[in-house]
Amino acid sequence: MGEPTPIQKERPLRSPMRGSLAFLAALLLVLQGCAAIPPPEPADSVEQRFDRAMAAEDYRSALALLDGLDPERFIHLLDQRDAIEAAADEASAVALATGEQLVRAGYLGLALRILEGARSRLPDDALLEDRIETLSAIQAAEMETLEIEYLRLEANHLLRQRQVINTMSRLARDPNELPWQPEQMDEKAANIADRLDTRASRHDDPAVRLSLLRLAEALAPCETRRQALALLHTPPTVDAAADTPDDLRRVTAELRRALQWDDLPGAQRICREPAWASTGDPTLEALCSGFEQRRTAWLEEVLEEGRRLYATGQIEAAIEHWRQGQQLAPEHTGLEAALERAGRVQERLESLRERLTTETNLEALREALSEPLPEALPEPLPESPPEAPPEPD
């Protein structure tokens, strides 16, 4: 065989070149998007995902899976769309009914958890979304109210503790005998006062801000807080003598201010005035309805605080607390009964104190009378002899 010809030399080089060109052409098609569509997913994999979604009652995922299927290849799955949508509607109705039952029973948080879980598994539902939004707003408002109430309880408890510690400090021989040191209580009071200030700054109701700032000032007096209290506390003036439209607007504005400044007596003077009770004005009626709710809540708070004072032996403080409530509501039977009971107890205590004072005085007298007589008594003075009768003549 002689030397290979030039054509024979080039043949081994052309085959690799042609393969490289074919590979580059295919890669170019992929990059341009011509070959970017993935091969169809096997039918068994789609059906497995569909079955898992249906087993978990995840109708949202099942319907989303059907939206991307080829109608010709998956007609047996697409035919189930109507049944899935009906099952989703039924599940939404069940979730809403269960949530309402829990809300009526007082388990609002559990109701929200069930409704939010249903929302994650069901298609978009306007009724479900609206109920979740409404309950979330109620839950946030009630949590805010309860957190404020908890802060008030903490503050009142600390004020009572401080009062007891101050009394104990006058009796203790050594500061270490006290369960709390005054410095520690002052630090805790400042912390709670700061939290009350934060809550007051975030609250929209001026009446709530006023009450929180007053409590914070009682815990930790502060010049800045006193200035804020001075700006908030402005007693309104009330004059409901006329019944013209201008007077009605004026009285409505005064009632609104009275409620804002937590002036319950002033608001009561307007709402209980016969001239304004029969106007039929919806704004005035709504404001008076809000006043009645706030008045009821305040009276219950006064009654409960008086009971707490009474239970701790502070009967005079409890009576004073209940009398403040009775000034606003003389017809309140609970306050009247509490005052009568406390008055009887106070009378018995006064009688007991007087008896103890009398018995103490009698005991002192008995001790004085029971002292032994001296050993040597003074001898009695000799009596003068009687005069002799005169002799007869």
Side-chain angles (χ1 to χ4, degrees), residues 15-309:
S15 296
M17 181 63 69
R18 287 175 180 174
S20 300
L21 290 175
F23 174 76
L24 291 175
L27 180 61
L28 182 61
L29 290 175
V30 171
L31 293 176
Q32 290 178 349
C34 298
I37 301 174
E41 193 172 0
D44 56 347
S45 176
V46 171
E47 291 178 349
Q48 287 175 1
R49 291 167 55 192
F50 179 79
D51 291 341
R52 285 195 299 269
M54 292 299 296
E57 297 183 353
D58 188 358
Y59 302 122
R60 176 189 287 269
S61 299
L63 291 172
L65 182 63
L66 295 181
D67 291 339
L69 295 182
D70 183 4
E72 295 181 358
R73 298 182 58 221
F74 299 101
I75 187 63
H76 60 289
L77 296 181
L78 294 172
D79 287 343
Q80 302 184 42
R81 179 182 292 275
D82 292 341
I84 295 173
E85 291 177 349
D89 292 339
E90 183 179 357
S92 176
V94 170
L96 285 169
T98 304
E100 292 305 315
Q101 290 178 357
L102 290 171
V103 169
R104 286 194 294 269
Y107 296 96
L108 192 147
L110 182 57
L112 270 174
R113 190 170 70 182
I114 288 176
L115 294 179
E116 289 171 350
R119 179 176 61 182
S120 67
R121 296 182 293 104
L122 301 178
D124 294 340
D125 188 328
L127 290 176
L128 187 62
E129 192 67 32
D130 181 70
R131 193 55 181 156
I132 290 175
E133 183 179 353
T134 301
L135 292 181
S136 297
I138 294 174
Q139 189 253 5
E142 291 188 359
M143 285 294 292
E144 177 72 13
T145 301
L146 290 175
E147 288 173 1
I148 289 176
E149 184 62 24
Y150 180 78
L151 270 180
R152 283 175 171 163
L153 290 174
E154 275 195 310
N156 288 323
H157 180 66
L158 184 58
L159 288 172
R160 177 58 183 155
Q161 277 186 322
R162 177 185 285 175
Q163 182 180 2
V164 173
I165 291 297
N166 289 338
T167 304
M168 293 176 67
S169 63
R170 294 193 292 267
L171 300 174
R173 293 167 296 182
D174 190 295
N176 294 327
E177 294 179 355
L178 301 177
W180 283 86
Q181 296 302 316
E183 297 80 8
Q184 296 174 332
M185 301 196 73
D186 290 342
E187 182 178 354
K188 187 176 180 180
N191 179 267
I192 296 178
D194 290 339
R195 292 161 61 190
L196 289 169
D197 287 339
T198 302
R199 292 289 179 185
S201 65
R202 295 193 316 213
H203 212 284
D204 296 332
D205 190 349
V208 176
R209 291 205 304 269
L210 183 64
S211 63
L212 294 178
L213 289 176
R214 283 174 174 170
L215 196 53
E217 179 66 13
L219 286 171
C222 171
E223 181 61 29
T224 304
R225 195 178 298 115
R226 281 193 291 270
Q227 294 176 0
L229 284 170
L231 292 175
L232 282 173
H233 188 65
T234 304
T237 58
V238 177
D239 181 14
D243 54 359
T244 63
D246 290 340
D247 291 328
L248 181 61
R249 285 193 293 269
R250 175 179 55 81
V251 169
T252 302
E254 291 173 352
L255 176 57
R256 185 176 286 110
R257 285 198 302 270
L259 293 175
Q260 288 177 349
W261 306 133
D262 204 22
D263 181 16
L264 297 183
Q268 181 166 280
R269 284 195 298 271
I270 296 176
C271 292
R272 300 296 172 86
E273 175 66 34
W276 306 119
S278 59
T279 59
D281 182 70
T283 303
L284 189 63
E285 289 180 355
L287 290 173
C288 286
S289 176
F291 155 72
E292 293 295 341
Q293 295 177 4
R294 187 180 298 182
R295 176 181 181 268
T296 301
W298 183 78
L299 290 173
E300 290 300 320
E301 183 179 346
V302 167
L303 185 61
E304 187 61 30
E305 179 63 16
R307 288 170 179 165
R308 186 191 66 79
L309 294 170

Side-chain angles (χ1 to χ4, degrees), residues 156 297-310 314-329 335-336 338-339 342:
N156 288 323
W298 183 78
L299 290 173
E300 290 300 320
E301 183 179 346
V302 167
L303 185 61
E304 187 61 30
E305 179 63 16
R307 288 170 179 165
R308 186 191 66 79
L309 294 170
Y310 183 87
Q314 304 177 72
I315 298 177
E316 293 181 358
I319 291 175
E320 180 63 26
H321 218 69
W322 287 331
R323 282 176 179 167
Q324 291 177 4
Q326 199 178 43
Q327 290 177 358
L328 185 67
L335 291 172
E336 183 179 1
L339 282 169

